[in-house]
Amino acid sequence: MEKHTLAERTAAQLIGMIQERSYRPGDKLPTEMELAADLNVGRNTVREALRLLMSRNIVTVRQGAGTFVSEKNGVADDPLGFGMREDKDRLTRELLQIRVILEPPIAGLAAQNAEPEELVRLEGILGEMERLIREKKDYSRADSEFHAQIAACTHNEVMSDLVPVITEGVRVFASNVQETEYEQTLISHRAIFRAIAERRPEEARQAMQYHLLYNQYRYVNAQEPGDGKK
Amino acid sequence: MEKHTLAERTAAQLIGMIQERSYRPGDKLPTEMELAADLNVGRNTVREALRLLMSRNIVTVRQGAGTFVSEKNGVADDPLGFGMREDKDRLTRELLQIRVILEPPIAGLAAQNAEPEELVRLEGILGEMERLIREKKDYSRADSEFHAQIAACTHNEVMSDLVPVITEGVRVFASNVQETEYEQTLISHRAIFRAIAERRPEEARQAMQYHLLYNQYRYVNAQEPGDGKK
């Protein structure tokens, strides 16, 4: 435990160092040997500390190339422990409920704050999703990316980091929600995009709300016919 | 890297094992030696895999006692990387904006879904906060706990896990928001509690919205007099 505690403290020092020296995502860190000398600890401790930072997505190790500041900015994989949840049906309902609360105002903020180049990227993702839908292929990854890009358009970084956690949670861990709603998905995503691109925040909010409520009700009714939402 | 990959795979197997055997938080896991034999890997690999799970709050090691399933249920510490953010003022604004979106409907759901014993606990936390406020002591931890308990009352576990991340983010990482608003804090938290306890979801939502907007505007105005929210 003593050794682990030292590694944890070293990890905290490394975070401090990354911030003080204003390292950016993708920047290369000093070698293990240099870090050990700088922080006055052994190389094994540095290695263990770097592993801890790796598991928190603060640094990335590229074999043979060295240690770099992670592009994921310290956002942990599965940060809310969805993978640990046993009742996937309940997890799905909970995630859909959160999406209905969180994403309509996010669409409104996106319509208000998006930069032109962010809208170009959003339209690109929409186009890719539409292509996959026309070809009746799995579009879930593009779908998730579309919602993440809307969150990025808010310019609220916490939302940009949080929304992918929720949408990827639905995609990876939840019971299957969409599958075959090709036509409805096409129409509703295009409506959300247009309201955002044309700077109509209130309609963007409504379009997102309609889309997510539609998904939520369809999931709930598919699971419990005639029962409705708990 | 090979070794790390093996540890990661072993960590994934351990998660699978915890789920399959329906271990609950607080349950003791087999020893490192037993796990090594079970999973057919070396003890060093098991140890490294357990460290990874420790850093993700999936297991806890108690010195001399063994390895246990963590009470934190796989929710990472600082899962959204707030500690990595440099502009604390911007982080604070972003967190306050998310709270304004997320917590009013959570208060509404709490008023609708809370069990009597959850309300008893909520009132206990409120009493503690009121005591600290009367004694002009730091009540921020009790405040954060009050909001976390409201989220628990929704019976949406994702919300229960997410709200503390946001409120603790404000408490630990953000610029100081409250400090001396003793009287207003007393009144607004009591109003939120009463609406929830008396099963008035729409008023609980409004009371929470008023409370959070009040905080948000006060913070924004304190930072940029006469400028208002960006």
Side-chain angles (χ1 to χ4, degrees):
Chain A
M1 285 312 287
E2 183 50 39
K3 192 169 164 240
H4 179 71
T5 306
L6 180 58
E8 289 262 302
R9 265 184 285 143
T10 305
Q13 284 181 296
L14 285 169
I15 291 176
M17 191 199 79
I18 289 169
Q19 291 179 327
E20 258 168 49
R21 302 191 193 165
S22 296
Y23 282 103
R24 313 300 316 162
D27 284 354
K28 192 176 172 181
L29 293 183
T31 64
E32 279 176 15
M33 214 187 315
E34 290 165 335
L35 290 173
D38 267 22
L39 302 170
N40 200 23
V41 293
R43 281 186 66 175
N44 279 336
T45 304
V46 168
R47 198 170 299 133
E48 202 178 324
L50 288 173
R51 275 198 203 114
L52 288 173
L53 296 183
M54 220 159 69
S55 76
R56 289 172 59 191
N57 282 335
I58 291 169
V59 305
T60 312
V61 175
R62 287 189 223 132
Q63 207 168 4
T67 307
F68 298 82
V69 178
S70 168
E71 309 280 348
K72 291 188 187 172
N73 237 334
V75 179
D77 293 323
D78 189 21
L80 297 175
F82 298 152
M84 296 302 292
R85 295 283 302 271
E86 281 175 79
D87 185 342
K88 296 302 181 199
D89 174 47
R90 183 170 167 189
L91 174 64
T92 306
R93 287 162 186 269
E94 293 182 359
L95 289 170
L96 293 176
Q97 191 176 46
I98 286 182
R99 293 192 68 178
V100 167
I101 290 172
L102 199 58
E103 291 194 58
I106 283 178
L109 288 168
Q112 180 188 300
N113 298 339
E115 299 290 342
E117 63 273 19
E118 291 170 331
L119 294 173
V120 169
R121 181 161 147 63
L122 186 61
E123 188 162 29
I125 298 165
L126 180 64
E128 172 66 6
M129 186 172 17
E130 290 179 341
R131 185 182 67 74
L132 292 166
I133 287 175
R134 275 196 304 275
E135 296 172 8
K136 300 266 186 286
K137 287 185 181 157
D138 177 14
Y139 61 91
S140 62
R141 203 179 286 264
D143 190 347
S144 183
E145 216 185 318
F146 181 76
H147 289 270
Q149 176 64 10
I150 291 174
C153 291
T154 63
H155 302 174
N156 179 319
E157 285 183 33
V158 179
M159 282 181 192
S160 304
D161 289 339
L162 176 59
V163 165
V165 170
I166 306 291
T167 56
E168 283 294 288
V170 174
R171 197 176 70 79
V172 176
F173 297 110
S175 320
N176 209 333
V177 180
Q178 358 218 33
E179 291 170 275
T180 53
E181 284 286 318
Y182 295 116
E183 198 54 35
Q184 183 56 39
T185 304
L186 267 176
I187 293 167
S188 56
H189 282 89
R190 179 54 69 176
I192 293 166
F193 171 73
R194 283 188 55 191
I196 291 173
E198 294 167 10
R199 310 293 186 190
R200 292 183 268 114
E202 194 50 37
E203 282 173 50
R205 167 199 272 273
Q206 288 174 8
M208 182 65 89
Q209 191 157 31
Y210 174 74
H211 167 57
L212 293 172
L213 285 172
Y214 181 90
N215 278 350
Q216 189 189 44
Y217 276 75
R218 208 162 45 80
Y219 179 78
V220 169
N221 289 330
Q223 301 292 308
E224 284 180 25
D227 183 336
K229 185 172 155 289
K230 241 188 257 174
Chain B
M1 284 313 286
E2 182 49 40
K3 190 170 165 239
H4 180 72
T5 306
L6 181 58
E8 290 263 301
R9 265 183 285 141
T10 305
Q13 284 180 295
L14 284 169
I15 291 176
M17 190 198 81
I18 289 169
Q19 291 178 324
E20 259 168 48
R21 302 191 194 165
S22 297
Y23 282 103
R24 312 303 313 165
D27 283 355
K28 191 176 173 179
L29 294 183
T31 64
E32 279 177 15
M33 214 187 314
E34 289 164 336
L35 291 172
D38 266 22
L39 302 170
N40 199 24
V41 292
R43 279 186 67 176
N44 279 337
T45 303
V46 168
R47 197 170 301 134
E48 201 177 327
L50 288 174
R51 274 198 203 113
L52 289 171
L53 296 183
M54 221 159 67
S55 75
R56 289 173 59 192
N57 282 334
I58 290 169
V59 305
T60 311
V61 175
R62 287 189 225 134
Q63 207 168 2
T67 306
F68 299 81
V69 177
S70 169
E71 308 281 347
K72 291 188 185 171
N73 236 336
V75 179
D77 293 322
D78 188 23
L80 297 174
F82 298 151
M84 296 301 292
R85 295 284 301 273
E86 282 176 78
D87 186 341
K88 296 302 179 198
D89 173 48
R90 183 170 167 189
L91 174 63
T92 306
R93 287 163 186 270
E94 293 182 1
L95 289 170
L96 292 176
Q97 190 175 48
I98 286 183
R99 293 191 68 177
V100 166
I101 291 172
L102 200 59
E103 291 193 58
I106 283 177
L109 288 167
Q112 180 187 301
N113 297 339
E115 299 290 343
E117 64 273 18
E118 292 170 330
L119 294 173
V120 170
R121 183 162 145 62
L122 186 61
E123 189 163 27
I125 298 166
L126 179 64
E128 172 66 7
M129 189 174 11
E130 290 178 340
R131 186 182 66 75
L132 292 166
I133 287 175
R134 274 195 304 273
E135 297 172 6
K136 301 266 186 285
K137 288 187 182 157
D138 177 13
Y139 60 90
S140 62
R141 204 178 285 265
D143 190 348
S144 182
E145 216 185 318
F146 181 77
H147 289 270
Q149 177 63 10
I150 291 174
C153 291
T154 64
H155 302 172
N156 179 319
E157 284 183 33
V158 179
M159 282 180 193
S160 304
D161 289 338
L162 177 58
V163 165
V165 170
I166 306 291
T167 56
E168 283 294 288
V170 175
R171 196 176 70 78
V172 176
F173 298 110
S175 321
N176 209 333
V177 180
Q178 355 217 38
E179 294 169 271
T180 54
E181 284 287 318
Y182 295 117
E183 198 54 35
Q184 184 57 39
T185 305
L186 267 176
I187 294 167
S188 56
H189 283 88
R190 179 55 66 176
I192 293 165
F193 170 73
R194 283 188 54 190
I196 291 172
E198 292 167 13
R199 310 293 185 189
R200 293 182 268 115
E202 194 51 35
E203 283 173 47
R205 167 198 273 272
Q206 289 173 7
M208 182 64 89
Q209 192 157 31
Y210 174 74
H211 167 57
L212 293 172
L213 285 173
Y214 180 90
N215 278 350
Q216 189 190 43
Y217 276 75
R218 207 162 46 81
Y219 179 77
V220 169
N221 290 330
Q223 300 291 308
E224 284 180 27
D227 183 338
K229 187 172 152 285
K230 239 186 259 171

